[in-house]
Amino acid sequence: MTARWPLPTDAPLVAAIVATRNRFWRDAIALWRDIFRHGSNDALAAGCIAEAALRIGEQGIADQMLDQFETVPDFLDRILHADGAASVEPPCGDLASFAFRPDEEIAAFRATHPLADQLPDRLNSVQQAVPLRVSPLTRLRAPKAERVAQKVAALVERRDGDALRRLATDLVERRAAPDALHWAILGIDALGVESGDTAFDALLSGFARYPLGPTPRALADARLYRGLGYPAFARLCLLEAMQQAGRARDRAKIRRRLAALAAERDRWLDDCAILSASDFGSTTPERDALLAHVRERSGPAPLQTEAVSVEPLELAFDWLLDTGLGEAEQYAPDNRLLMVGNTLGCGGMERMLARAYRHFSDGDSFERVDLALLDYADGAPSAFYADEAGVTAEDILLLGRDGDATMPFSLLPGSWKVRAQRLYAHIHDTRPRVIHAWNDLTGLLAAYAGLVAGCPKIIVHFHHTPNVPLSGRAETIASYPAVYRKLRTRLDIRTVFCAEAAARGYAQWWRVPEDERFRVLYNGFDWNIPAIGQAQAKDAIGLAGDRPVVGTVLRFSGVKQPLLWAEAAIALAKDAPDAQFLMVGDGPLRSAVADRFAEAGLAASLHMPGQVDNVPDYLAAMDLFWLTSRTEGLPNVLIEAQFSGVPIAAFDVGGIGETFVAGETGILVPPDDIAGLTHRSLALLRDQEWRDAASAKAVAQADERFSSSAFFEGLRNLY
C-alpha cells in the first residue's frame, strides 16, 4: 500500500476511521457503507454512518442505520434531538488530500469516540508494509498474471479451496507481482475468507510489500479493492494517484478508472469536476441527462454541489419526475390488472397477494390479470402459495436481474435497471388499467416503469410498518422516504396500508402529515373452523387433552423473536409446569429454539410440527396464542387465531392491537416484556370463564372486521 496506509486487511477500516475523526462526513458515509455491506463491524459501521448522515442532514441514511440498533446509542440520540442548527454541519473537505498518520488517528479515535469499544483488537498495533527486496531475476521467474488468473478461475469454479491456498503459498514464496497476487486474493475471497486465514493474509502482505512507485501502487490498490467490494476506498486510492501522477498518460488512465467506478456505482456525477465524457470511453446518456438536470437545478454554480451527492435512486426519480416524463401522456388502457410482488413465499403479505390474484383472475372485473414477481420458481420456497394463487412459472412474468437496460431505466441503481425495463416492456405491450404493487420496493419499480409507460393508476400497498424495510442492508432503502414524498403528490399514484399503525409509521418515516392519502384496508379471510373440539384437536397432534397449550404460528426469524418466545415459555413453565407449547412454522432459528427448550429441561413439553397446510387444526388445539414480534404490520396469523376463537397475548407493536379487542379477546403487553407476558398469561390460563367469553367474541369481531368480502370489495373500489 501507499506509505500512509497499514497492511491491506485493515486499510478500508482505517480510512473510515480517519474520515470520521476529521469530519469528512461524505467520505465517512461511503467508506463505512462498504464495511457495513460486508457484514463486518456492523455496530461500529452503522453508528458512524448514522453520525455522519445526521451531521450533514441526510435523514434517510440516518434512519436506516439507527434502525440497526435495538437501543440508539446516547451520543446519536443527542445529535438526533439537538436543535437543527446545532447538529447539522456544512460539508467538509475530502480525505484524498488529507495528510495523517494512521496509528495516531486510531489512538485518537480509541480515546475520544463513543463507539471506540467496537474497534477490533488487531488495530491496537498498526502494521506498516515494509517493502520486499525483489531482484530482476525474481521478477523474470515469477508467474505471469494471465496464467495465474486462468488457474484461479478454474479452481474457483471447482470450489477447490485447498488447491487455491497451495497456489497462494507458491505465489508468495516466488514473490509474484501484485497483478498476479491480485487474482489469487480475489479467488480466496470468492470462496469465503475466515478470520485468521494465513494464506489470504500472506497474499495481502506480499501484495502490500511489493516495491512499486507511488502511482502504480495507488492504481494496484484501487484495482484490488474494487474487486474486493470496497469501491469507496478504491476511489480514494485513485484520487490519491491523480494527485501523484506527473504524466498526462497516467492521469488519463486514472480518469478512465474513476469513470468506470462511477458507472459501476451508479454515481454518474462522482468527480464530475475532473471527468469528461471521453473518460467514459463511449456515449453515456445517463451522465449527460443527469449533468443537464443538475445544471438546470443549480444554475451557474459549480457541479460539485449538494445535488451531485444525492442517492442514485432518488436522483433517478428526480430526473424522471422533473424532466424525463416531459409531455408524456397516459395511454388508453385495456381492462387489465397487473399485480407486482416480491414472491409467493411463506408470509402474510404473500398470502394476501396470492388470494387477491386468484380472486380477480376468477372474477369478471378485468378481462385479464397478470402477475409479475421478483423471485419465483416452481417447487421452491418462493412458490409456497402458488397453489393458493393457482399459478405455475409459465403464468408469471419473472423480473430477473440479468439483461441490459436503456434510458431512463439505466439511471436506476443495481438490479433495479433490468427489472424496471422488463416491467415497462410488459406494461407498454399490455396497457393495464391498474397496476397494484405489494410493498415498498415493488411499489417504486412499478411507479418508475408505469409512469414511463403512461399507466393511469398505480397502487402501492404496504403490508408492514417501516421497521421491516429500515432493518435491511440495501442502500436504496435510504432513498424511499424522499422518493415517496414526491410520488404521493401525483394523482396517478395511490397508497394503501394494511393497518392504521402502518399508515402512522410511514407518515412519520416519510415526514409528511397523515392525511386522506393514507388509506387503510384490512386484510380479509374466509376461514373454515374445524369441526372437532379442542380436546380432539390436541389429541390429533399428539398433545395431552387435559393440559393447557400456549401456541404460535410464525416464521422462525429474528423479527419474530422466537428465542424470546422460548424464554417466556420457560419462565411460564415455572408457575405452570403442566403447560404445553406448540410452535408451528419453520425458519433459520428453529433449531436454536428447540435447543433452548432442551437446555431448560422442557423438550418434552414442546411440539414443533414445522410448516403445515392445515393451520386451523393446530389453532384449534391452543388455549392461548402468543406473538412476540419485534415489529408487525397487520399480522394475518392473529386474525386467523381470532377466527378460530383463540385468545391472544402479544407485544404491542405495529398493527397488532388492531387485530383484536384488547381486554376482551386478548391482551397487549409492552414490547419485550417477558415478565408481563408470563404473569398475565398465567392469569388467563387460570380463568376458563374469561377464555370462553373471549373465544366467542373473537370469532364475531373477526368475521365483522376481517372478512374476505370486505377486503375484496375494498380492492375493487381502489381499482
Side-chain angles (χ1 to χ4, degrees), residues 440-478:
D440 309 67
L441 190 159
T442 53
L444 293 179
L445 283 173
Y448 204 90
L451 289 173
V452 175
C455 181
K457 181 179 286 188
I458 302 164
I459 298 168
V460 186
H461 197 162
F462 298 87
H463 280 264
H464 48 56
T465 57
N467 306 70
V468 174
L470 276 168
S471 63
R473 304 186 78 88
E475 292 175 9
T476 50
I477 294 167

Side-chain angles (χ1 to χ4, degrees), residues 127-184:
Q127 294 177 287
Q128 297 295 329
V130 180
L132 293 166
R133 294 179 63 85
V134 182
S135 69
L137 184 59
T138 302
R139 289 192 179 96
L140 286 173
R141 291 175 175 172
K144 301 300 181 186
E146 295 80 6
R147 296 282 301 276
V148 173
Q150 292 170 2
K151 288 182 180 179
V152 169
L155 293 172
V156 169
E157 187 174 357
R158 297 204 307 263
R159 309 293 298 174
D160 193 343
D162 292 338
L164 183 52
R165 282 169 172 78
R166 287 195 297 272
L167 173 62
T169 301
D170 179 64
L171 292 174
V172 172
E173 289 176 352
R174 296 170 66 183
R175 298 197 172 181
D179 58 349
L181 297 176
H182 170 96
W183 296 110

